Amino acid sequence: MSVSVAIVGTGPAGFYTAEALLRKGLDCTIDLIDRLPTPYGLIRFGVAPDHQTTKKVTRNFEKTALNERCRFFGNVTLGRDVTLNELRGMYDAVVLAVGADNDRRLGIPGEDKRGVLGSATFVGWYNAHPDLRDLVPVLDTPAAVVIGNGNVAIDVARVLVKTAAEMAESDLPEFAARAIQASPIRDVHLVGRRGPVEAKFTNVELREMGHLDVAQAVVDAKDLPDVVGDVEDDRDRRLKEKNLATLREFAAQPAGGKTRRVHFLFYASPVEILGGERVEGVRFERTKRDGDRVVGTGQTFDIACGLVIPAIGYRSLPVDGAPFDSRKDIVVNDEGRVAPGLYAVGWLRRGPSGVIATNRPDGVAVAEHIAADIPTGAKPGRVALEKHLAARGVRVVSFGDWQAIEQAEIAAAHAPAPRRKFERVTDMLAQLEKS
Ligand code: NAP
């Protein structure tokens, strides 16, 4: 009997696992379960709307989904429509690939004021995540502070300062485009608690900030060291050298006639969000290098702003029925093995780091484990899930249904935008009733 595998979560980690299982040639069936009618997780809702090339990886995922061994079960929520224990009863192997789409908290006073919006929330909003459609971000301010020196911080800053023309080829939803274009934000402060060498930006993303139509990247040359210093890994050192060179170019640019600015600030750790009910600024403590670490200096300064976006990393939530390490915010696992027949991959397994392809080895490792742990199938898998969901009256969205949704999104797009995303699950399901 074929090994029945259920993969919960259809972002990169889920799809790379399915791909790896297919490549292994294992006699298996693979059911890809997602709580939304749309597959691809962070590719659709996390990758920036103006980075369409990055989103093209979905073409490979689509091939996987269309493989005869695979079936997509969209609009099926783990914990509501089917529990993990029920799934484990139905399938020989269950792979958790639900990612990390929640915000980490800064843990400083004032964090809950109106106008503080974590990057996971803000990015989900401008990517038309249905959960965030009713959010109304506070954008009526001339200045925003983005905390963190990673690629998400760069994405957020860029989306805030790009013009409508620069976003024309993106799939930024109209409601977000309108809100951002109407915003008076002219200054975005991108603040890192460590130095330019420690910043986690990749160089392509950093360089892009030097080519924006109306926004200038502002860097103080005094913050830039002459050399990168000791970095063991060659590749890492080259990246840091490139970033430093890019930041030097930014620092050397004359203050031109651009109307918006992205200020790169380093060595500043947030200590308090200022204001009353609404954010009025952020207090930072200056930091300095102390060997490999940075330490506080006791000296503080404030940046006035009406919007604060901590882009300090994502966080997984516990999955009912799976052991969770709440210090690391990951499922307790040994190289992807969680319990007999239960596995985890991607950000839920190892935390929120790495680019899309970083998830590939996770998928490969878990495919190897499944092949080694479960030589033959014993559980019914798909038929049992179909029966269970039918009894519960769940409207399962198949991959064909998703393709109909996607076609409708493409047809509704205003050129040159690639698609006009549905913003609500009810609208997606209503479209399926029509087609
Ligand atoms: P990240 O790369 O881990 O960056 C998080 C940043 O937040 C770091 O600068 C970190 O500083 C800082 N930070 C953490 N806690 C903080 C605190 N309490 N106070 C102040 N600063 C704090 O995370 P990310 O930007 O969310 O990105 C997640 C992953 O997705 C990364 O691997 C990223 O490369 C990837 N990604 C890639 C792209 C792309 O390739 N275009 C786009 C988006 C995301 P420390 O370094 O000091 O901890």
Side-chain angles (χ1 to χ4, degrees):
M1 191 163 146
S2 291
V3 176
S4 55
V5 183
I7 299 175
V8 187
T10 63
F15 266 105
Y16 282 128
T17 305
E19 187 188 283
L21 284 164
L22 293 175
R23 274 175 200 252
K24 267 204 89 54
L26 195 71
D27 179 17
C28 63
T29 58
I30 304 167
D31 292 340
L32 292 147
I33 299 171
D34 204 292
R35 73 184 178 94
L36 290 172
T38 54
Y40 311 138
L42 216 59
I43 307 290
R44 182 173 165 103
F45 298 117
V47 172
D50 58 336
H51 281 179
Q52 289 297 318
T53 313
T54 310
K55 292 184 191 256
K56 287 195 175 137
V57 65
T58 58
R59 289 187 190 158
N60 291 337
F61 296 163
E62 185 179 69
K63 279 190 204 137
T64 300
L66 291 170
N67 185 289
E68 60 186 13
R69 291 183 181 278
C70 292
R71 180 80 62 85
F72 178 66
F73 285 77
N75 200 35
V76 175
T77 301
L78 183 71
R80 185 191 68 190
D81 301 322
V82 60
T83 67
L84 181 56
N85 282 341
E86 285 167 341
L87 267 188
R88 291 182 70 190
M90 295 173 201
Y91 285 85
D92 297 308
V94 176
V95 182
L96 296 172
V98 296
D101 54 7
N102 293 271
D103 281 303
R104 285 187 53 212
R105 286 180 64 82
L106 283 165
I108 60 173
E111 194 170 3
D112 295 316
K113 290 187 194 302
R114 200 159 67 85
V116 182
L117 207 57
S119 58
T121 307
F122 189 58
V123 170
W125 172 76
Y126 69 55
N127 270 316
H129 194 298
D131 288 359
L132 297 162
R133 176 60 187 91
D134 295 321
L135 187 82
V136 183
V138 171
L139 300 176
D140 58 340
T141 169
V145 165
V146 180
I147 298 171
N149 268 184
N151 282 327
V152 172
I154 290 247
D155 281 349
V156 165
R158 191 183 67 249
V159 169
L160 281 174
V161 298
K162 267 192 166 182
T163 62
E166 284 173 296
M167 292 304 275
E169 291 179 21
S170 79
D171 59 3
L172 183 71
E174 279 166 23
F175 67 84
R178 268 199 305 275
I180 292 170
Q181 292 310 322
S183 158
I185 291 176
R186 294 293 171 265
D187 288 276
V188 177
H189 304 268
L190 198 68
V191 190
R193 62 181 172 181
R194 297 193 285 162
V197 169
E198 291 80 22
K200 290 175 171 162
F201 315 131
T202 42
N203 191 249
V204 179
E205 278 63 33
L206 183 60
R207 275 206 317 267
E208 200 179 344
M209 301 303 279
H211 301 287
L212 302 178
D213 284 356
V214 300
Q216 173 147 12
V218 181
V219 176
D220 185 342
K222 286 202 293 295
D223 284 339
L224 305 178
D226 295 333
V227 289
V228 157
D230 286 344
V231 180
E232 266 181 32
D233 183 75
D234 276 353
R235 200 164 159 260
D236 207 20
R237 192 179 53 250
R238 279 198 300 276
L239 166 67
K240 289 175 186 301
E241 281 168 352
K242 274 191 191 169
N243 277 357
L244 209 48
T246 305
L247 290 167
R248 274 197 208 103
E249 283 170 24
F250 294 170
Q253 274 170 8
K258 295 196 170 173
T259 52
R260 297 176 198 171
R261 289 154 296 275
V262 177
H263 307 264
F264 287 80
L265 304 177
F266 301 100
Y267 298 113
S269 183
V271 289
E272 187 178 352
I273 310 288
L274 307 171
E277 177 263 338
R278 164 126 195 226
V279 171
E280 290 169 21
V282 185
R283 178 155 299 156
F284 289 95
E285 179 180 12
R286 287 194 198 283
T287 61
K288 63 173 186 184
R289 294 185 74 93
D290 178 21
D292 284 346
R293 303 180 317 134
V294 292
V295 292
T297 61
Q299 193 194 343
T300 62
F301 70 98
D302 299 345
I303 300 179
C305 65
L307 172 67
V308 179
I309 302 184
I312 59 167
Y314 288 65
R315 187 165 69 92
S316 297
L317 294 183
V319 177
D320 245 3
F324 196 72
D325 178 338
S326 44
R327 207 172 42 84
K328 295 186 186 156
D329 288 329
I330 57 173
V331 158
V332 179
N333 72 92
D334 178 10
E335 302 283 314
R337 285 186 172 104
V338 178
L342 183 63
Y343 305 85
V345 288
W347 283 5
L348 181 70
R349 178 184 90 70
R350 61 186 159 77
S353 66
V355 293
I356 294 163
T358 314
N359 294 295
R360 191 194 285 268
D362 266 25
V364 171
V366 160
E368 299 281 344
H369 294 334
I370 292 174
D373 298 348
I374 312 170
T376 57
K379 298 184 185 172
R382 188 171 298 166
V383 285
L385 180 64
E386 282 173 338
K387 204 168 148 206
H388 173 92
L389 295 173
R392 295 236 167 165
V394 179
R395 167 50 165 113
V396 176
V397 171
S398 67
F399 202 74
D401 288 338
W402 151 246
Q403 288 177 308
I405 292 171
E406 190 180 32
Q407 281 314 310
E409 289 189 337
I410 293 168
H414 299 303
R419 71 188 67 78
R420 186 178 179 198
K421 284 177 174 175
F422 281 100
E423 295 160 14
R424 295 184 193 276
V425 169
T426 45
D427 294 341
M428 297 179 202
L429 299 181
Q431 173 65 33
L432 294 178
E433 295 314 309
K434 272 196 261 166
S435 51

